[in-house]
Amino acid sequence: MSVYVVGHKIPDSDSICGAIALAYLKNQIGEPSIAARLGDLSPETAFILEKFGFEAPEFKTSYAGEEVFIVDHSELTQAPDDIAEATIVGIVDHHKLGDLTTSTPLECWIRPVGCSNTIIKMMYDFHGVAIPKDIAGIMMCAILSDTVIFKSPTCTTADIKCVEALAEIAGIEDFKELGMDMFKVKSAVEGTPARDLVMRDFKDFNMNGNKIGIGQLEVIDLSVFDDIKAELEADISALKAEGERHSVILLLTDIMKEGSELLVITDDAGLIERAYGIACENDRVWLDGVLSRKKQIVPQLQDALA
Ligand code: MG
Ligand code: MG
Ligand code: MG
């Protein structure tokens, strides 16, 4: 029986590249595995897979009766809907410990680093398996994406060393240039419907019983949103109502200015000020230095809702 290796809903490059890289490693050590995904590829991930010659992993949403290795999260809200009917054999992740539980022992690789692929590289080293050139390429790109080319406060020296080692294996001389090319792909938002943008990198969290949706768009220059900000706000407002959410926040992250503008729709008018010390003006607030949802947005919000 093969194990399905799968990342989170609305998969990002870490979830997709991590599933491919980990499934390859598992197959090499005699544990038959299949990379899978829970959703469509983002334009960034499509760019990465095309560059290194990979097909998208198998699209599969139901895992009842299967064995599953979870990548890049440990949250029920981000896992397959029927995960309770599957057997979780392992988790590789770099987020806060979530609420997935198991009834059998499992293999856990959880580290406070910038990317799941950095941990997967540690797994290759642990097992003494050589990383093929093309897999090194996609792993490297996933780390550059998750760490915002090392600018994110989630980035560690382990991530930087890992990218340097993978770049050498992949034969990429200027990995920062490739990283910028990826963020240029991410910045091309013109002509994309508001809902598609809001959902591109969207996660629901359960915070003390409150369903909170947080989306993030990372771009090179926030001016790309000037003409569509009102549309984005109308859309997150609709999304809040549709999903019975307590709040929906959209982070518009400027990776060059190194900060994020938050668009906020919430029932709790004081929430943002309690969490971040600055109040919204017309449901918007600029947070200087904020690049990371997992480190600079979620914990503060969770505390404010405790
Ligand atoms: Mg992710
Ligand atoms: Mg990740
Ligand atoms: Mg991210």
Side-chain angles (χ1 to χ4, degrees):
M1 179 167 161
S2 284
V3 171
Y4 283 96
V5 182
V6 69
H8 52 75
K9 285 179 177 166
I10 311 181
D12 57 4
S13 296
D14 193 19
S15 277
I16 297 291
C17 301
I20 294 171
L22 182 55
Y24 177 86
L25 169 64
K26 287 288 178 183
N27 282 311
Q28 292 304 301
I29 60 173
E31 297 174 22
S33 298
I34 299 167
R37 64 187 161 95
L38 294 179
D40 293 339
L41 300 184
S42 72
E44 179 199 66
T45 309
F47 168 85
I48 295 168
L49 295 193
E50 193 189 326
K51 176 159 181 71
F52 292 98
F54 286 94
E55 297 289 328
E58 180 180 329
F59 176 65
K60 179 175 170 66
T61 53
S62 176
Y63 293 83
E66 306 284 5
E67 294 192 341
V68 181
F69 205 118
I70 297 283
V71 175
D72 198 32
H73 73 96
S74 63
E75 307 262 348
L76 266 174
T77 55
Q78 296 170 28
D81 290 334
D82 58 1
I83 192 67
E85 294 159 67
T87 304
I88 300 174
V89 299
I91 297 176
V92 51
D93 188 34
H94 67 122
H95 295 82
K96 77 181 177 70
L97 191 57
D99 51 5
L100 278 179
T101 55
T102 67
S103 48
T104 47
L106 78 165
E107 175 182 356
C108 256
W109 292 75
I110 298 177
R111 300 283 187 282
V113 293
C115 184
S116 302
N117 275 273
T118 298
I119 308 167
I120 294 169
K121 165 76 161 58
M122 295 173 192
M123 296 172 77
Y124 272 87
D125 294 344
F126 177 82
H127 289 290
V129 172
I131 305 176
K133 197 173 172 177
D134 50 357
I135 288 185
I138 61 172
M139 291 172 74
M140 180 194 77
C141 285
I143 302 169
L144 290 168
S145 173
D146 261 15
T147 64
V148 192
I149 321 177
F150 307 155
K151 291 180 186 200
S152 171
T154 59
C155 185
T156 66
T157 44
D159 299 296
I160 297 170
K161 281 187 178 158
C162 190
V163 164
E164 287 167 355
L166 293 169
E168 189 151 340
I169 298 167
I172 302 290
E173 272 174 32
D174 192 343
F175 57 76
K176 288 199 172 171
E177 190 188 2
L178 176 53
M180 280 306 284
D181 288 345
M182 282 164 34
F183 279 94
K184 278 178 201 154
V185 170
K186 271 188 157 171
S187 301
V189 298
E190 213 187 294
T192 309
R195 177 54 58 95
D196 291 10
L197 290 174
V198 168
M199 296 309 291
R200 184 168 282 174
D201 178 7
F202 189 87
K203 289 178 179 172
D204 276 315
F205 297 87
N206 177 352
M207 296 190 185
N208 202 26
N210 303 296
K211 186 175 173 187
I212 311 285
I214 309 176
Q216 183 172 27
L217 292 164
E218 297 162 316
V219 297
I220 289 169
D221 188 337
L222 278 198
S223 66
V224 298
F225 298 119
D226 284 353
D227 295 336
I228 55 170
K229 220 175 266 181
E231 267 176 75
L232 293 172
E233 285 172 325
D235 192 72
I236 60 173
S237 182
L239 200 60
K240 176 180 177 297
E242 286 161 31
E244 295 177 338
R245 294 175 177 90
H246 171 282
S247 307
V248 178
I249 300 173
L250 184 63
L251 275 72
L252 305 178
T253 299
D254 189 317
I255 71 159
M256 302 312 288
K257 291 198 181 78
E258 302 192 19
S260 296
E261 180 172 35
L262 274 56
L263 310 183
V264 182
I265 305 289
T266 179
D267 294 331
D268 181 345
L271 178 64
I272 294 300
E273 188 165 12
R274 287 202 311 282
Y276 310 113
I278 313 178
C280 282
E281 245 174 79
N282 298 321
D283 301 326
R284 300 176 183 178
V285 65
W286 169 259
L287 298 181
D288 211 36
V290 168
L291 294 172
S292 168
R293 172 173 48 197
K294 76 168 70 59
K295 206 161 177 171
Q296 297 169 296
I297 294 292
V298 169
Q300 295 78 356
L301 210 54
Q302 194 146 305
D303 286 348
L305 284 163

